[in-house]
């Protein structure tokens, strides 16, 4: 009887493990696949010490990685900008695809983070040819995405402006995100969706995690690509759609006054998608409802992943 009882207990334990395992988020860290909450890096990792690394967030719709190649290309550019070498991007691609295939949800995001690695002592400057000794830290995981923006995308969101406090290389998708953290927290405290950065020259550069567009006299305006903004993948797609629709696009900076007086304003981003803005700094944008050009671009963008 004891034997049967013990056997049954063991069987139940294995079943429990199996069930937890299938619900557990798995990740890739430096060549190994393991549960997310078991992944560990050194306290000397240059990502932890200096924010010395780059990242990407890719959206997964119905189990498919959306614009994955574009994100990988940008990741390569970020790594080049940071002088982080020896990353096999094809390996990152393969790992990303396999984690998405194993993910317990078809609606997910894939997060990729690469740092310069973990040396044996802390020093701001890294050794020239450090890559001969140290490997970069590569971390990837896919996680279920709960889209909490459905009604905001339909009805429009509110934003606030905030001084540009970031560094001079915002074109690199660096894991150094303190300025963005300040801005996102400011949005949260003020119960708005996003904060947009306002440069000392009066131009609205981008949001804490989005790019910004305004419609002025029927023309679409957005900050040109430069070290002042992240070259958004969604931004590129929306510009491509606008061109196909023969809408007039001007890649020029927008001042805060212009933004407040625009007939339409919208944001773009991987998880934000195309988001109408109906209020900025407490002032109504246009008629205070999503405008026709925003709607047109939004519905064309949505078609790209909901075919
Ligand atoms: N954020 N600007 C900044 C500062 C961003 O961090 C992001 C993306 C964007 C939009 O880029 P894209 O269209 O390629 O997502 C613009 C990601 C999603 C994040 O940090 O979660």
């Amino acid at each position: 009887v004891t034997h049967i009882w013990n056997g049954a207990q063991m069987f139940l334990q294995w079943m429990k493990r199996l069930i937890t395992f299938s619900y557990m988020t798995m990740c890739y860290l430096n060549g190994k696949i393991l549960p997310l909450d078991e992944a560990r890096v050194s306290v000397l990792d240059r990502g932890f010490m200096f924010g010395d690394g780059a990242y990407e967030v890719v959206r997964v719709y119905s189990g498919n990685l959306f614009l994955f190649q574009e994100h990988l290309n940008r990741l390569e550019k970020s790594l080049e900008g940071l002088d982080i070498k020896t990353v096999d991007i094809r390996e990152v691609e393969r790992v990303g695809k396999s984690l998405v295939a194993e993910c317990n949800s078809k609606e997910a995001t894939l997060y990729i983070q690469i740092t310069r690695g973990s040396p044996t002592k802390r020093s701001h400057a890294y050794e020239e040819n450090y890559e001969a000794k140290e490997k970069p830290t590569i971390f990837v995981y896919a996680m279920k995405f709960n889209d909490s923006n459905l009604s905001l995308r339909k009805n429009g969101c509110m934003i606030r402006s905030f001084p540009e406090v970031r560094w001079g290389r915002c074109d690199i998708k660096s894991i150094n995100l303190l300025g963005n953290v300040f801005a996102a927290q400011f949005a949260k405290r003020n119960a708005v969706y996003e904060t947009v950065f306002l440069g000392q020259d009066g131009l609205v550069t981008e949001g804490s995690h989005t790019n910004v567009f305004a419609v002025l006299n029927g023309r679409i305006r957005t900050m040109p690509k430069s070290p002042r903004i992240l070259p958004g993948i969604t931004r590129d797609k929306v510009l491509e759609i606008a061109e196909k629709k023969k809408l007039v696009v001007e890649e020029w900076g927008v001042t805060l006054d212009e933004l407040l007086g625009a007939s339409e304003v919208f944001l773009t981003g991987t998880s934000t998608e195309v988001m109408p803005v109906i209020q900025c700094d407490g002032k109504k944008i246009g008629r205070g409802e999503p405008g026709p050009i925003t709607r047109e671009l939004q519905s064309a963008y949505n078609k790209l992943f909901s075919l």
Side-chain angles (χ1 to χ4, degrees):
V1 176
T2 337
H3 267 91
I4 297 171
W5 177 243
N6 284 349
Q9 290 245 310
M10 250 169 78
F11 175 74
L12 277 174
Q13 241 172 25
W14 270 106
M15 284 302 286
K16 209 171 135 192
R17 249 194 225 173
L18 209 72
I19 290 165
T20 344
F21 200 73
S22 61
Y23 279 99
M24 218 154 36
T25 300
M26 301 301 282
C27 72
Y28 169 97
L29 180 64
N30 298 332
K32 291 200 182 84
I33 299 285
L34 70 171
L36 185 61
D37 61 2
E38 285 175 24
R40 301 282 180 273
V41 292
S42 159
V43 288
L44 288 173
D45 192 276
R46 290 187 61 94
F48 182 59
M49 283 289 174
F50 303 108
D52 189 355
Y55 77 106
E56 278 297 329
V57 183
V58 191
R59 183 73 165 81
V60 177
Y61 293 103
S62 316
N64 298 310
L65 280 151
F66 185 56
L67 305 173
F68 194 24
Q69 197 50 56
E70 286 80 348
H71 283 276
L72 291 172
N73 292 344
R74 186 171 64 188
L75 181 60
E76 276 193 298
K77 283 215 181 99
S78 294
L79 294 173
E80 213 180 286
L82 296 175
D83 186 33
I84 293 179
K85 296 169 194 142
T86 73
V87 175
D88 180 357
I89 277 291
R90 295 282 78 87
E91 168 75 356
V92 175
E93 179 180 10
R94 193 191 59 72
V95 163
K97 283 181 180 164
S98 105
L99 286 170
V100 164
E102 297 298 316
C103 184
N104 53 30
S105 173
K106 299 262 174 237
E107 298 305 310
T109 50
L110 182 74
Y111 180 82
I112 307 167
Q113 175 168 321
I114 300 177
T115 78
R116 197 182 306 279
S118 310
T120 50
K121 67 179 195 354
R122 180 182 180 275
S123 160
H124 284 67
Y126 51 91
E127 303 233 346
E128 292 299 336
N129 302 324
Y130 74 93
E131 68 275 10
K133 278 189 263 163
E134 281 143 33
K135 282 193 183 146
T137 302
I138 304 182
F139 170 60
V140 189
Y141 76 99
M143 198 175 228
K144 181 178 165 66
F145 179 73
N146 288 316
D147 195 347
S148 52
N149 297 330
L150 291 169
S151 83
L152 280 182
R153 259 183 235 118
K154 194 163 155 238
N155 304 313
C157 72
M158 298 188 285
I159 61 173
R160 292 277 297 255
S161 63
F162 182 90
E164 177 68 272
V165 289
R166 300 175 302 161
W167 72 325
R169 288 301 305 273
C170 295
D171 55 322
I172 296 174
K173 202 161 171 59
S174 138
I175 55 171
N176 239 307
L177 288 167
L178 267 189
N180 309 62
V181 169
F182 283 172
Q185 196 60 29
F186 179 76
K188 193 173 177 180
R189 286 206 182 117
N190 287 285
V192 296
Y193 177 71
E194 175 68 306
T195 297
V196 295
F197 290 109
L198 181 59
Q200 283 190 347
D201 58 356
L203 295 182
V204 174
T205 52
E206 64 177 336
S208 77
H209 63 290
T210 57
N211 290 109
V212 184
F213 291 71
V215 180
L216 290 152
N217 304 318
R219 291 155 183 253
I220 301 166
R221 289 259 293 270
T222 194
M223 195 71 175
K225 282 186 188 174
S226 82
R228 296 180 68 178
I229 66 162
L230 183 80
I233 307 289
T234 322
R235 175 190 179 281
D236 274 351
K237 268 290 152 203
V238 164
L239 289 180
E240 203 182 294
I241 293 168
E243 224 164 88
K244 270 195 202 137
K245 292 189 170 286
K246 306 251 181 292
L247 297 167
V248 183
V249 176
E250 295 167 338
E251 291 186 62
W252 294 347
V254 179
T255 66
L256 182 60
D257 276 347
E258 283 175 325
L259 189 115
L260 295 174
S263 56
E264 300 179 35
V265 171
F266 61 91
L267 308 171
T268 62
T270 293
S271 53
T272 301
E273 298 172 359
V274 177
M275 169 79 78
V277 175
I278 54 169
Q279 199 193 85
C280 177
D281 292 340
K283 194 185 168 296
K284 214 197 268 183
I285 302 288
R287 294 205 195 132
E289 57 189 47
I293 292 179
T294 307
R295 281 270 175 263
E296 193 180 348
L297 295 171
Q298 189 184 44
S299 76
Y301 182 78
N302 293 350
K303 281 197 186 109
L304 299 177
F305 54 79
S306 47
L307 289 173

